Amino acid sequence: MSVVALIGGQWGDEGKGKVIDSLAGKAKMVIRFSGGDNAGHTAINPYGEFKLHLIPSGVFHPHVICIIGNGVAVNPAVLLKEIEELRGRGVEVNNLLVSDRAHLVMPYHTLLDGLEEERRGKGALGTTRRGIGPAFADKVARIGIRTGDLLDKDAFYRQLNSTLEFKNAILAKLYGHPPLSLEEIFHQYCRYAEQLAPFIRETETTIHQALAKGESILLEGAQGTLLDPDFGTYPYVTSSSPLVGGGSQGTGIGPMEISRAVGVFKAYITRVGGGPMPTELKDDVGELIREKAKEYGTTTGRPRRCGWFDAVAGRLSVQVNSLSDIALTHLDIFDGFPSVRICTAYRLDNKTVDYFPSNATALERCQPVYEELPGWQESIADTRDLESLPQQARRYVARIEDLLSCPISFIAVGPAREQVVEVKPILP
Ligand code: GDP
Ligand code: IMO
Ligand code: MG
């Protein structure tokens, strides 16, 4: 039996979509377990190039059952558009299920996400404004509405009525915003309900039947460890757990069932949105990485901040996720670099530290301590085995393994499905 959790090891956009698309051929089920359409997962395969926000990246393999788990916040308009787009481009979406426990992103969530960001002014978090924070806040405040609630129109109306009264009061009193119409939202969501009803169900039984049969299941994370509300750069974080632990909670699979935990890391690091980033490069090298790797947000189009690989942050990721393996992506971006750097420690207030401070202000003061390694001049885009990688690239890979105390089992050398060096098979 094999349940493999695959999570972002950095600040998101590590290439999770690509890795899942590459691995899913051997899986029976892929379950997205956290976040919402703040995520943007790219897959490039024989169907073309796709940017998925909610549907698991296993969808391109017709035999794979794709589940949007209970831990995801679902914007039904985005989900329907995604289904339509996939179908329009020849991808079947017959094996999709949506957990009836997954919370809904409502129009007041997206509106409030934007208004809250405006109110923060200079201290804005740089959210994706997709309503994800407000939707998860309602979940824990116990005023959320779930996909399953859409299936009982009368109950849904009563729930919406009571929540909207409260939200409209906030909109009016705090933001001077006109109220949202109960009838409009109700009818709009009833239309979504009709279209989504065939997908919405109690998914635990299906998942546990697959577990009982010993089938291979991939848990697809969103965002990345450094955006976790507990272990990330709080408050510059997202609102659901991108960790392997979130993979258990967001699917209903107990932690003891997870046999492998794979952290996806870029060979460098990127961040989109506000918050500290010790190895950020605000120079030509940062610009070169951004342009070469097209580092612009999949969801918002914002330029991503780029920097050298941060092994201090990486070690935290390995620890809080108990990673068994690393999938290292974007190694090809360093082709032609005279040398590459890895941050091995920070200088903080005249001391050298080897841990990732919990406090964002302390992290802002951290100066990276770098180790420099020789680069390689040849293209690795067509390399498919470890031995054929240039010796300097292998040395770089080995140094990251060493600093993070975790084996690198998978190396991506380009964005397409087949551009992979499989060091050790992740799925049997
Ligand atoms: P995700 O959110 O973790 O799924 O990552 P995104 O899809 O937001 O961003 C990753 C970007 O890098 C996408 O444009 C991918 O097509 C691309 N990509 C993924 N792996 C590689 C790789 O190994 N090399 C290169 N050059 N691009 C990659
Ligand atoms: P994938 O799954 C990168 C960032 C936002 C912002 C912070 C909070 O594609 O890796 P939110 O909208 O979640 O309230 O924003 O989190 N963020 C991401 N950054 N990749 C993502 O997802 C992200 N999802 C959220 O930019 O800094
Ligand atoms: Mg992304």
Side-chain angles (χ1 to χ4, degrees):
M1 182 186 60
S2 205
V3 180
V4 177
L6 192 136
I7 57 100
Q10 297 163 323
W11 276 292
D13 303 326
E14 298 89 349
K16 298 176 291 294
K18 181 240 157 86
V19 179
I20 293 273
D21 180 50
S22 294
L23 295 177
K26 287 189 186 168
K28 181 75 186 177
M29 188 176 274
V30 180
I31 319 176
R32 249 295 291 274
F33 65 76
S34 67
D37 65 292
N38 49 352
H41 295 181
T42 312
I44 302 179
N45 54 41
Y47 289 100
E49 175 169 352
F50 294 83
K51 295 180 187 304
L52 299 169
H53 302 287
L54 285 166
I55 296 181
S57 307
V59 69
F60 307 100
H61 300 272
H63 69 279
V64 171
I65 296 172
C66 286
I67 300 186
I68 297 179
N70 56 281
V72 179
V74 178
N75 182 326
V78 175
L79 177 56
L80 285 165
K81 193 164 160 249
E82 205 158 291
I83 294 172
E84 194 187 301
E85 198 177 314
L86 284 166
R87 284 185 171 152
R89 294 177 62 189
V91 183
E92 285 303 330
V93 194
N94 299 331
N95 284 333
L96 176 70
L97 301 176
V98 180
S99 165
D100 58 0
R101 298 175 191 266
H103 279 248
L104 289 167
V105 175
M106 304 297 292
Y108 42 82
H109 292 138
T110 23
L111 180 60
L112 283 164
D113 199 352
L115 291 170
E116 285 168 13
E117 277 289 83
E118 302 296 332
R119 186 178 57 83
R120 287 183 197 111
K122 276 199 178 139
L125 303 176
T127 76
T128 59
R129 301 189 179 213
R130 295 298 190 271
I132 307 306
F136 283 116
D138 279 4
K139 173 177 175 175
V140 285
R142 293 158 295 183
I143 54 167
I145 303 179
R146 311 199 289 184
T147 61
D149 298 329
L150 287 177
L151 305 179
D152 177 345
K153 279 191 186 164
D154 294 337
F156 171 54
Y157 188 86
R158 285 194 298 276
Q159 261 177 305
L160 181 62
N161 188 16
S162 108
T163 305
L164 195 62
E165 204 177 292
F166 172 61
K167 297 291 174 186
N168 274 337
I170 294 175
L171 285 172
K173 292 186 181 150
L174 220 55
Y175 298 105
H177 195 281
L180 299 180
S181 153
L182 170 66
E183 296 305 317
E184 229 169 79
I185 300 178
F186 177 68
H187 290 299
Q188 184 186 30
Y189 274 65
C190 284
R191 284 195 297 277
Y192 296 150
E194 268 164 40
Q195 290 168 273
L196 287 178
F199 302 104
I200 300 172
R201 74 164 75 155
E202 177 277 315
T203 49
E204 293 83 74
T205 315
T206 314
I207 294 172
H208 284 272
Q209 274 167 357
L211 279 174
K213 283 196 224 151
E215 285 169 343
S216 293
I217 302 177
L218 281 172
L219 308 185
E220 177 173 349
Q223 289 80 54
T225 300
L226 307 176
L227 289 168
D228 179 66
D230 284 283
F231 291 101
T233 47
Y234 191 86
Y236 299 94
V237 294
T238 191
S239 304
S240 63
S241 176
L243 306 183
V244 169
S248 172
Q249 222 172 354
T251 58
I253 295 177
M256 300 297 282
E257 303 271 12
I258 298 174
S259 43
R260 274 170 98 170
V262 181
V264 186
F265 292 76
K266 275 177 177 153
Y268 45 95
I269 199 163
T270 61
R271 163 159 221 178
V272 59
M277 178 178 175
T279 64
E280 181 169 15
L281 289 165
K282 294 181 177 165
D283 58 7
D284 292 352
V285 181
E287 192 61 32
L288 176 65
I289 295 175
R290 178 160 41 251
E291 292 315 313
K292 197 168 172 192
K294 302 188 198 80
E295 291 292 358
Y296 293 88
T298 309
T299 299
T300 58
R302 293 177 290 178
R304 293 176 183 149
R305 301 154 66 190
C306 301
W308 295 116
F309 189 91
D310 186 338
V312 182
R315 277 195 291 266
L316 175 78
S317 277
V318 171
Q319 288 164 353
V320 299
N321 291 297
S322 296
L323 293 183
S324 59
D325 303 82
I326 288 172
L328 189 73
T329 65
H330 296 79
L331 192 59
D332 54 298
I333 296 302
F334 283 151
D335 293 354
F337 274 49
S339 63
V340 281
R341 289 176 164 199
I342 303 178
C343 166
T344 55
Y346 300 142
R347 289 289 296 166
L348 173 62
D349 305 334
N350 295 318
K351 284 196 277 292
T352 301
V353 299
D354 62 359
Y355 62 88
F356 193 73
S358 57
N359 182 288
T361 329
L363 198 58
E364 286 285 4
R365 296 200 303 280
C366 284
Q367 295 298 319
V369 176
Y370 286 121
E371 188 174 298
E372 191 153 4
L373 282 85
W376 55 95
Q377 301 316 306
E378 50 274 68
S379 163
I380 61 168
D382 296 324
T383 307
R384 297 293 175 264
D385 59 275
L386 190 64
E387 291 67 38
S388 309
L389 280 178
Q391 178 244 331
Q392 299 90 328
R394 270 183 289 154
R395 194 171 148 199
Y396 185 69
V397 168
R399 188 63 185 132
I400 291 179
E401 285 185 316
D402 207 29
L403 286 164
L404 268 58
S405 307
C406 187
I408 294 178
S409 304
F410 181 108
I411 302 169
V413 292
R417 180 188 279 178
E418 69 282 359
Q419 287 182 293
V420 165
V421 171
E422 201 180 39
V423 183
K424 196 171 87 186
I426 286 178
L427 281 177

